[in-house]
Amino acid sequence: MKPQDELPEVSAPLPWQAQDWSHLNQQLAAGKLPHALLLVGNQYTGKTRLAMALSRLLLCHQSANGLNCGHCHACQLSASGSHGDFRWLQPEEKSRVIKIDQVRSVVEFTNKTASLGQRKVVVLAPADSMNVNAANALLKSLEEPAADTYLLLVCHRLHSLPATIRSRCQIQKLAVPDAQQCLAWLDQATLDRGRSEQLLALADGRPLLAQQLFAEDAADALTRLRLALRGLLTGQVSVPEAGALFAAASVEEFLAHLAAEIQGLLRRSRGPQLSSRQGRAAFVLLDEILRLQRAVSAGANPNRQLMVDALLTKFERELGDGQLGDNIQVLKGGIQA
Ligand SMILES: [Zn+2]
């Protein structure tokens, strides 16, 4: 979700965000909404949608029922992405990082008077894609925000953000999406509860990913990738075979698939399994993947082939033939669908 995307008249939060949304509204009504707000939550759960809904609410001149009105001049401008008091900062095309020049121009923007005479809003998403220099350039704005200016930072890896940034923001950890609400929401697209359940399981409970899999008809391809990883653990698939299946995936996608598979294994494991040698190895490998993800999002460019081979080999050797997790029925159901 970006300002340049086509926006509806009213930007509402998603069903599972109702509690977070009402908390933000209460803060706003009480004049206590922090000027530097850090929204943290899992990927594909709608954090940027929430940030967009809050931005448009802050800019709206006639907000009603806790949402932007959709009709005032400010809402028309924010819907078309041309509101002069609104900036949305994200990595520029082909870049993985928010650069210092982008942050400097936003700092300059926050120091000017609002052109429509109300509030100014800046969204940084994902905030952890700022490099160190960019983060440093932002510190002063976070510390001494200009009047009626709101900085909304969005990220899913809180500890990838420098402590200097974290400590200057009020952190709101967004609720984990409720499965029943996710399913009801997915049903609107799939018109099939069984299909919604398969998609949500395949997406590890992340509703926007499930929706994307449905929209792109990509569930079967993803199921094959995830089954290949499971095949590695049971000796049915070799490392080169699994690597070949990931040939079309970017480094980020590969890391995300592998991390999701390990997280799924851990989630389905019981207490004693988690503290077993394999359980501990799973956490160690997950840490390594998270470090790589951070390095890649900060601009590192590892040798893809070497990295894929090394990680798949470790995954097979450390977690293979093990007792971690015990539930692959949903995936099997997914591939038959
Ligand atoms: Zn409005």
Side-chain angles (χ1 to χ4, degrees), residues 267-317:
R267 218 174 17 248
R268 292 190 302 274
S269 297
R270 291 177 289 275
Q273 295 175 323
L274 291 175
S275 53
S276 68
R277 187 194 61 76
Q278 283 187 326
R280 293 195 303 273
F283 283 111
V284 170
L285 189 52
L286 197 53
D287 274 348
E288 182 177 349
I289 295 168
L290 294 177
R291 274 200 305 277
L292 282 164
Q293 285 178 318
R294 281 199 284 266
V296 168
S297 64
N301 203 359
N303 180 313
R304 186 186 183 287
Q305 189 63 44
L306 288 179
M307 190 198 69
V308 169
D309 284 350
L311 287 176
L312 289 179
T313 303
K314 264 188 214 175
F315 179 73
E316 179 191 39
R317 190 183 61 216

Coordinates of all heavy atoms in Angstrom, one line a residue, residues 267-317:
R267 N 6.4 -23.9 15.7 CA 5.1 -23.6 16.2 C 4.3 -25.0 16.4 O 3.6 -25.1 17.4 CB 4.3 -22.8 15.2 CG 3.4 -21.8 15.9 CD 2.7 -20.8 14.9 NE 2.7 -21.2 13.5 CZ 3.4 -20.5 12.6 NH1 4.1 -19.5 12.9 NH2 3.3 -20.9 11.3
R268 N 4.6 -25.9 15.6 CA 3.9 -27.2 15.7 C 4.6 -28.2 16.7 O 4.1 -29.3 16.8 CB 3.7 -27.8 14.3 CG 2.8 -27.1 13.4 CD 2.5 -27.9 12.2 NE 3.7 -28.2 11.4 CZ 4.3 -27.5 10.5 NH1 3.7 -26.3 10.2 NH2 5.4 -27.9 9.9
S269 N 5.7 -27.7 17.2 CA 6.5 -28.6 18.1 C 6.0 -28.5 19.5 O 5.5 -27.4 19.9 CB 7.9 -28.3 18.0 OG 8.4 -28.5 16.7
R270 N 6.1 -29.6 20.3 CA 5.7 -29.5 21.7 C 7.0 -29.2 22.5 O 8.1 -29.2 22.1 CB 5.1 -30.8 22.1 CG 3.8 -31.1 21.5 CD 3.2 -32.4 21.8 NE 4.0 -33.5 21.2 CZ 3.7 -33.9 19.9 NH1 2.8 -33.4 19.2 NH2 4.4 -34.9 19.4
G271 N 6.7 -28.8 23.8 CA 7.8 -28.4 24.7 C 9.1 -29.2 24.6 O 10.1 -28.6 24.4
P272 N 9.0 -30.5 24.9 CA 10.3 -31.3 24.9 C 11.0 -31.2 23.5 O 12.2 -31.2 23.5 CB 9.8 -32.7 25.2 CG 8.4 -32.6 25.7 CD 7.9 -31.3 25.2
Q273 N 10.2 -31.2 22.4 CA 10.8 -31.1 21.1 C 11.6 -29.8 21.0 O 12.7 -29.7 20.4 CB 9.8 -31.2 20.0 CG 9.0 -32.5 20.0 CD 7.9 -32.5 19.0 OE1 7.2 -31.5 18.8 NE2 7.7 -33.6 18.3
L274 N 11.1 -28.7 21.5 CA 11.7 -27.4 21.4 C 13.0 -27.4 22.1 O 13.9 -26.7 21.7 CB 10.8 -26.3 22.0 CG 9.5 -26.0 21.1 CD1 8.6 -25.0 21.8 CD2 9.9 -25.6 19.7
S275 N 13.1 -28.1 23.2 CA 14.4 -28.1 24.0 C 15.4 -29.2 23.5 O 16.4 -29.3 24.1 CB 14.1 -28.1 25.5 OG 13.3 -29.2 25.8
S276 N 14.9 -30.0 22.6 CA 15.8 -31.0 22.1 C 17.0 -30.4 21.3 O 17.0 -29.2 21.0 CB 15.1 -32.0 21.2 OG 14.7 -31.3 20.0
R277 N 18.0 -31.2 20.9 CA 19.1 -30.7 20.1 C 18.5 -30.1 18.8 O 19.0 -29.0 18.4 CB 20.1 -31.9 19.8 CG 21.3 -31.4 19.1 CD 22.1 -32.6 18.5 NE 21.4 -33.3 17.5 CZ 21.2 -32.8 16.2 NH1 21.6 -31.7 15.8 NH2 20.5 -33.6 15.4
Q278 N 17.6 -30.8 18.2 CA 17.0 -30.3 17.0 C 16.3 -29.0 17.2 O 16.3 -28.1 16.3 CB 16.1 -31.3 16.3 CG 17.0 -32.4 15.6 CD 16.1 -33.4 14.9 OE1 15.0 -33.6 15.3 NE2 16.6 -33.9 13.8
G279 N 15.6 -28.9 18.3 CA 14.8 -27.7 18.6 C 15.8 -26.5 18.7 O 15.5 -25.5 18.1
R280 N 16.9 -26.7 19.4 CA 17.8 -25.6 19.6 C 18.5 -25.3 18.2 O 18.7 -24.1 17.9 CB 18.9 -26.0 20.6 CG 18.3 -26.2 22.0 CD 19.5 -26.2 23.1 NE 20.4 -27.3 22.8 CZ 20.3 -28.5 23.3 NH1 19.2 -28.9 24.0 NH2 21.2 -29.4 23.0
A281 N 18.8 -26.3 17.4 CA 19.4 -26.1 16.1 C 18.4 -25.3 15.2 O 18.9 -24.4 14.5 CB 19.7 -27.4 15.4
A282 N 17.1 -25.5 15.4 CA 16.2 -24.8 14.6 C 16.2 -23.3 15.0 O 16.2 -22.4 14.1 CB 14.8 -25.3 14.8
F283 N 16.3 -23.0 16.2 CA 16.4 -21.6 16.7 C 17.7 -20.9 16.2 O 17.7 -19.8 15.7 CB 16.3 -21.5 18.2 CG 14.9 -21.6 18.7 CD1 14.6 -22.8 19.5 CD2 14.0 -20.7 18.5 CE1 13.3 -22.9 20.0 CE2 12.7 -20.8 19.0 CZ 12.3 -22.0 19.7
V284 N 18.8 -21.7 16.2 CA 20.1 -21.2 15.8 C 20.0 -20.8 14.3 O 20.4 -19.8 13.8 CB 21.2 -22.2 16.0 CG1 22.5 -21.7 15.3 CG2 21.5 -22.3 17.5
L285 N 19.4 -21.8 13.5 CA 19.3 -21.5 12.1 C 18.4 -20.4 11.7 O 18.7 -19.5 10.9 CB 18.8 -22.8 11.4 CG 18.8 -22.9 9.9 CD1 20.2 -22.5 9.3 CD2 18.4 -24.3 9.4
L286 N 17.3 -20.3 12.5 CA 16.4 -19.2 12.3 C 17.1 -17.8 12.6 O 16.9 -16.8 11.8 CB 15.2 -19.3 13.3 CG 13.9 -18.5 13.0 CD1 13.5 -18.7 11.5 CD2 12.8 -19.0 13.9
D287 N 17.9 -17.8 13.6 CA 18.7 -16.6 13.9 C 19.6 -16.2 12.8 O 19.7 -15.0 12.4 CB 19.6 -16.8 15.2 CG 18.8 -16.5 16.4 OD1 17.7 -15.9 16.3 OD2 19.3 -16.8 17.5
E288 N 20.2 -17.2 12.2 CA 21.2 -17.0 11.1 C 20.4 -16.4 9.9 O 20.8 -15.4 9.3 CB 21.9 -18.3 10.7 CG 22.9 -18.1 9.6 CD 23.6 -19.3 9.2 OE1 23.5 -20.3 9.9 OE2 24.3 -19.3 8.1
I289 N 19.2 -16.9 9.7 CA 18.4 -16.4 8.5 C 18.0 -15.0 8.8 O 18.0 -14.1 7.9 CB 17.2 -17.3 8.3 CG1 17.6 -18.7 7.8 CG2 16.2 -16.7 7.3 CD1 16.5 -19.8 7.9
L290 N 17.6 -14.7 10.1 CA 17.1 -13.3 10.4 C 18.3 -12.3 10.2 O 18.1 -11.2 9.7 CB 16.6 -13.3 11.8 CG 15.3 -14.0 12.0 CD1 14.9 -14.0 13.5 CD2 14.2 -13.5 11.2
R291 N 19.5 -12.8 10.6 CA 20.7 -11.9 10.4 C 20.9 -11.7 8.9 O 21.2 -10.5 8.5 CB 21.9 -12.6 11.0 CG 22.1 -12.3 12.5 CD 23.6 -12.5 12.9 NE 24.0 -13.9 12.6 CZ 23.8 -14.9 13.3 NH1 23.1 -14.8 14.4 NH2 24.3 -16.1 13.0
L292 N 20.8 -12.7 8.1 CA 20.9 -12.6 6.7 C 19.9 -11.6 6.1 O 20.1 -10.8 5.2 CB 20.9 -13.9 6.0 CG 22.1 -14.8 6.0 CD1 21.8 -16.2 5.7 CD2 23.2 -14.2 5.1
Q293 N 18.6 -11.8 6.6 CA 17.6 -10.9 6.1 C 17.8 -9.5 6.4 O 17.6 -8.6 5.6 CB 16.2 -11.3 6.7 CG 15.7 -12.6 6.1 CD 14.4 -13.0 6.8 OE1 14.2 -13.0 8.0 NE2 13.4 -13.5 6.0
R294 N 18.4 -9.2 7.6 CA 18.7 -7.8 8.0 C 19.8 -7.3 7.1 O 19.8 -6.2 6.6 CB 19.1 -7.8 9.4 CG 18.0 -7.8 10.4 CD 18.4 -7.3 11.7 NE 19.1 -8.2 12.5 CZ 18.6 -9.1 13.4 NH1 17.3 -9.1 13.6 NH2 19.4 -9.9 14.0
A295 N 20.8 -8.2 6.8 CA 22.0 -7.7 6.0 C 21.5 -7.4 4.6 O 21.9 -6.4 4.0 CB 23.1 -8.8 6.0
V296 N 20.6 -8.3 4.1 CA 20.2 -8.1 2.7 C 19.3 -6.8 2.6 O 19.4 -6.0 1.7 CB 19.4 -9.3 2.2 CG1 18.6 -9.0 0.9 CG2 20.3 -10.5 2.0
S297 N 18.5 -6.6 3.6 CA 17.6 -5.4 3.5 C 18.4 -4.2 3.8 O 18.0 -3.1 3.4 CB 16.4 -5.5 4.5 OG 16.8 -5.5 5.8
A298 N 19.6 -4.3 4.4 CA 20.5 -3.1 4.5 C 21.4 -3.0 3.3 O 22.3 -2.1 3.3 CB 21.4 -3.3 5.8
G299 N 21.2 -3.8 2.3 CA 22.0 -3.6 1.0 C 23.0 -4.6 0.7 O 23.7 -4.6 -0.3
A300 N 23.3 -5.6 1.6 CA 24.3 -6.6 1.3 C 23.8 -7.5 0.1 O 22.7 -7.6 -0.1 CB 24.5 -7.5 2.6
N301 N 24.8 -8.0 -0.6 CA 24.5 -8.8 -1.8 C 25.2 -10.1 -1.8 O 26.2 -10.3 -2.5 CB 24.9 -7.9 -3.0 CG 24.1 -8.3 -4.2 OD1 23.3 -9.3 -4.2 ND2 24.4 -7.7 -5.3
P302 N 24.8 -11.1 -1.0 CA 25.5 -12.3 -0.8 C 25.5 -13.2 -2.1 O 24.6 -13.0 -2.9 CB 24.8 -13.1 0.3 CG 23.4 -12.5 0.3 CD 23.5 -11.1 -0.2
N303 N 26.5 -14.1 -2.3 CA 26.4 -15.0 -3.4 C 25.2 -15.9 -3.2 O 25.2 -16.7 -2.3 CB 27.7 -15.8 -3.4 CG 27.8 -16.8 -4.6 OD1 26.8 -17.5 -4.8 ND2 28.9 -16.8 -5.3
R304 N 24.3 -15.8 -4.1 CA 23.0 -16.5 -3.9 C 23.2 -18.0 -3.9 O 22.7 -18.6 -3.0 CB 22.1 -16.1 -5.1 CG 20.7 -16.6 -4.9 CD 19.8 -16.3 -6.2 NE 18.5 -16.7 -5.9 CZ 18.1 -18.0 -5.9 NH1 19.0 -19.0 -6.1 NH2 16.9 -18.4 -5.7
Q305 N 23.9 -18.5 -4.9 CA 24.0 -20.0 -4.9 C 24.7 -20.5 -3.7 O 24.2 -21.5 -3.1 CB 24.9 -20.3 -6.2 CG 24.9 -21.8 -6.5 CD 23.5 -22.3 -6.9 OE1 22.7 -21.6 -7.6 NE2 23.0 -23.4 -6.3
L306 N 25.8 -19.9 -3.3 CA 26.5 -20.4 -2.1 C 25.6 -20.3 -0.9 O 25.5 -21.3 0.0 CB 27.7 -19.6 -1.8 CG 28.9 -19.8 -2.8 CD1 30.1 -18.8 -2.4 CD2 29.3 -21.2 -2.8
M307 N 24.8 -19.2 -0.7 CA 24.0 -19.1 0.4 C 22.8 -20.1 0.5 O 22.6 -20.7 1.5 CB 23.4 -17.6 0.4 CG 22.7 -17.3 1.7 SD 21.7 -15.9 1.4 CE 20.4 -16.6 0.4
V308 N 22.2 -20.3 -0.7 CA 21.1 -21.2 -0.8 C 21.6 -22.6 -0.4 O 21.0 -23.4 0.4 CB 20.5 -21.2 -2.2 CG1 19.5 -22.4 -2.4 CG2 19.7 -19.9 -2.4
D309 N 22.7 -23.0 -1.0 CA 23.3 -24.4 -0.8 C 23.6 -24.6 0.7 O 23.3 -25.6 1.3 CB 24.6 -24.6 -1.6 CG 24.2 -24.9 -3.1 OD1 23.0 -25.1 -3.4 OD2 25.1 -24.9 -3.9
A310 N 24.3 -23.5 1.3 CA 24.7 -23.7 2.7 C 23.5 -23.8 3.6 O 23.5 -24.6 4.5 CB 25.6 -22.5 3.0
L311 N 22.5 -23.0 3.4 CA 21.4 -23.0 4.3 C 20.6 -24.2 4.1 O 20.1 -24.8 5.1 CB 20.5 -21.7 4.0 CG 21.1 -20.4 4.5 CD1 20.2 -19.2 4.2 CD2 21.3 -20.4 6.1
L312 N 20.4 -24.7 2.9 CA 19.6 -25.9 2.7 C 20.3 -27.1 3.3 O 19.7 -28.0 3.9 CB 19.3 -26.1 1.2 CG 18.3 -25.2 0.6 CD1 18.1 -25.5 -0.9 CD2 16.9 -25.2 1.3
T313 N 21.7 -27.1 3.1 CA 22.5 -28.2 3.7 C 22.3 -28.2 5.2 O 22.1 -29.3 5.8 CB 23.9 -28.0 3.3 OG1 24.0 -28.0 1.9 CG2 24.8 -29.2 3.8
K314 N 22.4 -27.1 5.8 CA 22.3 -27.0 7.3 C 20.9 -27.4 7.7 O 20.7 -28.2 8.7 CB 22.5 -25.5 7.8 CG 23.9 -25.3 8.3 CD 24.0 -23.9 8.9 CE 25.4 -23.3 8.6 NZ 25.5 -22.0 9.0
F315 N 19.9 -26.9 7.0 CA 18.5 -27.3 7.3 C 18.3 -28.8 7.3 O 17.8 -29.4 8.2 CB 17.6 -26.6 6.3 CG 16.2 -26.9 6.4 CD1 15.4 -26.3 7.4 CD2 15.5 -27.7 5.5 CE1 14.1 -26.5 7.6 CE2 14.1 -27.9 5.6 CZ 13.4 -27.3 6.6
E316 N 18.9 -29.5 6.3 CA 18.8 -30.9 6.1 C 19.5 -31.6 7.2 O 19.0 -32.5 7.9 CB 19.3 -31.3 4.8 CG 19.2 -32.8 4.5 CD 20.0 -33.2 3.3 OE1 21.1 -32.7 3.0 OE2 19.5 -34.1 2.5
R317 N 20.8 -31.2 7.4 CA 21.7 -31.9 8.4 C 21.2 -31.7 9.8 O 21.1 -32.6 10.6 CB 23.1 -31.3 8.2 CG 24.1 -32.1 9.0 CD 25.5 -31.4 8.8 NE 25.5 -30.1 9.4 CZ 26.1 -29.1 8.9 NH1 26.9 -29.2 7.8 NH2 26.1 -27.9 9.5

